[in-house]
């Protein structure tokens, strides 16, 4: 990779208030610029709603901006996230996946609330809807309510005790199959990237099986770095990027100033100089 690309500050994974992030798209873009980012993507969970606002602000700053979204899917019963980048905002196949996932989110929220009631907690559904407002409703909204009501100490505890994948039982299985989503979106010029591959409960052997499926079904990239990844994980993902011919993507997965999130534009650096970078030909 050319030196100029290697040291360019790129961030292709971030969240705004249109999903579970804490900053508006405008505030987020302002912060990215302040942090010296020169190529940026907003990738809210199952939502394209923040993109136009972010695009407009990025143009005001002369910041190169890429349309993005983080889609919820599942593979062998394991919830998986994939990041789609560089698509047309009117892409019908993508709109269909996003709309379907938004319906699932609402239905899942009702079922999450029921699960919490069974464990002796109050019905949080209406409050979760109200708290989410025009954001895509998710588990972080339930976590905030549990914290605000003093029912748990912090969001991490809320996930540990009530909301983590282990606690959700069948509610893990609500998302569309990875194969279905990749097949629907592949071959249309957008990049389809496996998000934070080290955050799933997978051995390296299983992860390789996943990457083989991912590539076969039309996936084009892999996040070699996500936020505060351990350097040895990054080295492994660099190798897997080459082994499976999946282009390397990078991102902070920034959600806002409160909580454990990495700063926009910050993540463990890529070392491998022979990687095919997903942003190689972008402005
Ligand atoms: P959902 O999209 O509704 O499945 O919620 C998943 C989101 O919850 C992730 O994107 C994270 O932002 C957040 N999350 C997951 N685990 C934790 C945790 N242990 N503590 C705080 N937030 C978490
Ligand atoms: Mn999130
Ligand atoms: Mn994710
Ligand atoms: Mn994310």
């Amino acid at each position: 990779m050319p030196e100029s690309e290697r040291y360019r500050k790129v961030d292709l994974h971030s969240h705004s208030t249109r999903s579970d992030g804490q900053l508006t798209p405008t505030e987020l873009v302002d912060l990215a610029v302040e942090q010296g980012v020169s190529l940026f993507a907003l990738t809210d969970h199952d939502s394209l709603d923040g993109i136009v606002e972010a695009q407009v602000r990025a143009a005001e700053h002369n910041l190169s901006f890429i349309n993005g979204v983080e889609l919820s899917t599942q593979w062998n019963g394991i919830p998986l996230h994939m990041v789609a980048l560089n698509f047309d905002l009117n892409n019908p196949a993508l709109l269909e996946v996003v709309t379907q996932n938004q319906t699932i989110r609402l239905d899942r929220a009702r079922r999450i609330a029921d699960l919490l009631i069974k464990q002796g907690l109050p019905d949080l559904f209406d409050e979760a809807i109200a708290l989410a407002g025009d954001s895509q409703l998710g588990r972080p909204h339930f976590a905030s309510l549990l914290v605000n009501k003093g029912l748990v100490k912090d969001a991490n505890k809320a996930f540990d005790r009530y909301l983590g994948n282990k606690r959700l039982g069948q509610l893990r299985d609500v998302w569309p199959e990875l194969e279905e989503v990749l097949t629907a979106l592949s071959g249309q010029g957008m990049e389809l990237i496996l998000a934070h591959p080290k955050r799933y409960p997978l051995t390296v052997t299983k992860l390789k099986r996943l990457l083989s499926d991912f590539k076969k079904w039309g996936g084009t990239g892999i996040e070699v770095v996500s936020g505060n990844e351990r350097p040895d994980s990054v080295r492994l993902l660099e190798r897997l990027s080459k082994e499976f011919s999946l282009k390397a993507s990078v991102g902070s997965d920034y959600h806002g100033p409160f909580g454990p999130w990495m700063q926009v534009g910050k993540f463990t650096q890529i070392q491998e100089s022979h990687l095919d970078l997903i942003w190689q030909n972008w402005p």
Side-chain angles (χ1 to χ4, degrees):
M1 110 186 64
E3 288 296 284
S4 55
E5 284 299 322
R6 188 177 330 210
Y7 294 110
R8 186 172 180 196
K9 221 170 180 187
V10 172
D11 193 340
L12 301 174
H13 189 149
S14 69
H15 297 272
S16 78
T17 45
R18 293 316 187 100
S19 63
D20 57 359
Q22 298 153 16
L23 303 180
T24 64
T26 300
E27 291 166 341
L28 183 61
V29 167
D30 287 352
L31 180 63
V33 170
E34 206 181 293
Q35 294 296 319
V37 172
S38 66
L39 176 61
F40 184 67
L42 173 66
T43 57
D44 274 317
H45 297 281
D46 302 314
S47 173
L48 308 175
D49 294 347
I51 289 181
V52 170
E53 182 185 324
Q55 251 171 8
V56 168
R57 191 59 166 183
E60 284 167 9
H61 285 294
N62 243 333
L63 167 69
S64 296
F65 179 82
I66 302 290
N67 292 346
V69 64
E70 183 171 15
L71 298 169
S72 309
T73 72
Q74 62 173 325
W75 176 81
N76 283 343
I78 301 165
L80 283 191
H81 287 171
M82 50 169 286
V83 165
L85 292 179
N86 207 23
F87 46 78
D88 188 309
L89 257 190
N90 302 313
N91 182 297
L94 182 65
L95 288 176
E96 198 176 318
V97 174
V98 167
T99 309
Q100 180 189 2
N101 276 5
Q102 293 182 352
T103 308
I104 291 173
R105 280 186 173 276
L106 198 58
D107 176 59
R108 180 182 73 145
R110 180 62 264 172
R111 292 165 69 190
I112 289 175
D114 290 341
L115 218 62
L116 298 180
I117 293 170
K118 273 200 198 132
Q119 291 168 81
L121 296 174
D123 186 352
L124 298 176
F125 182 72
D126 290 340
E127 282 178 83
I129 299 267
L131 181 63
D134 59 8
S135 323
Q136 271 314 302
L137 180 56
R139 287 180 282 169
H141 298 104
F142 284 96
S144 295
L145 288 174
L146 291 171
V147 175
N148 294 346
K149 290 175 181 296
L151 295 165
V152 292
K153 192 178 75 205
D154 55 29
N156 212 13
K157 264 270 165 321
F159 273 86
D160 258 13
R161 288 249 299 266
Y162 298 109
L163 301 166
N165 286 334
K166 281 196 197 124
R167 307 269 171 224
L168 287 187
Q170 284 192 331
L171 285 184
R172 278 179 315 218
D173 299 344
V174 295
W175 303 111
E177 291 293 332
L178 180 68
E179 178 175 10
E180 184 192 314
V181 176
L182 281 174
T183 312
L185 300 181
S186 69
Q188 303 184 53
M190 68 182 98
E191 302 293 347
L192 302 167
I193 300 154
L194 180 67
H196 42 66
K198 286 296 285 175
R199 239 188 281 158
Y200 310 116
L202 296 172
T203 59
V204 174
T205 309
K206 283 240 177 84
L207 178 56
K208 286 187 174 189
R209 219 168 287 157
L210 164 62
L211 290 173
S212 160
D213 280 350
F214 197 79
K215 176 81 184 178
K216 181 174 72 194
W217 296 330
T220 62
I222 177 174
E223 272 182 359
V224 163
V225 196
S226 166
N228 199 9
E229 200 103 67
R230 290 168 40 159
D232 58 328
S233 297
V234 178
R235 300 295 87 78
L236 168 70
L237 294 169
E238 288 171 346
R239 288 200 299 278
L240 294 176
S241 162
K242 285 176 123 181
E243 185 178 336
F244 290 89
S245 302
L246 289 164
K247 290 181 249 181
S249 190
V250 296
S252 60
D253 204 2
Y254 183 72
H255 281 66
F258 309 108
W261 310 108
M262 280 297 266
Q263 179 60 278
V264 172
K266 276 214 167 150
F267 36 78
T268 312
Q269 285 305 299
I270 290 186
Q271 273 183 1
E272 174 59 61
S273 57
H274 301 292
L275 287 182
D276 197 1
L277 303 175
I278 213 139
W279 65 91
Q280 199 92 64
N281 300 315
W282 291 349

